[in-house]
Amino acid sequence: MNDYLLPAWAGAYLARVAKRYRNTRVLCSARTRKGNPCRCQSEPGKRRCKFHGGLSTGPRTATGKERARANLRQNRNERESGDGCNRAPSGDPPI
């Protein structure tokens, strides 16, 4: 952008406007299987809802992948030992 064409106050104004709209939510507007636009709200700061690509797709770095594996192992161990939450595992029907 050509900063020399903007007035001196424009930089601070543009920063305030960008900060205000960073976390706004808009309608997703992705097309459903019927061809209608999706009516869900987008994720904050994104243009799509959680069903159409607004959420994270998972860890990408080696350290992030290792951290995800460690969490998975910890959660499985807690579920097997019964130290975690008191609900049944998702595969078993409730009593």
Side-chain angles (χ1 to χ4, degrees), residues 34-76:
K34 284 183 159 183
N36 300 329
C38 177
R39 297 185 297 179
C40 296
Q41 286 190 339
S42 67
E43 291 299 310
K46 307 257 180 161
R47 305 299 292 173
R48 298 287 182 189
C49 69
K50 62 183 175 182
F51 303 114
H52 293 112
L55 287 181
S56 173
T57 58
R60 298 187 185 271
T61 63
T63 57
K65 289 178 183 180
E66 184 57 38
R67 191 170 48 234
R69 277 191 220 103
N71 290 335
L72 179 65
R73 281 192 295 265
Q74 178 183 356
N75 290 338
R76 284 183 179 168

Side-chain angles (χ1 to χ4, degrees), residues 5-21:
L5 297 177
L6 296 175
W9 54 266
Y13 171 75
L14 292 175
R16 279 197 317 270
V17 170
K19 184 178 179 183
R20 181 185 317 155
Y21 290 107

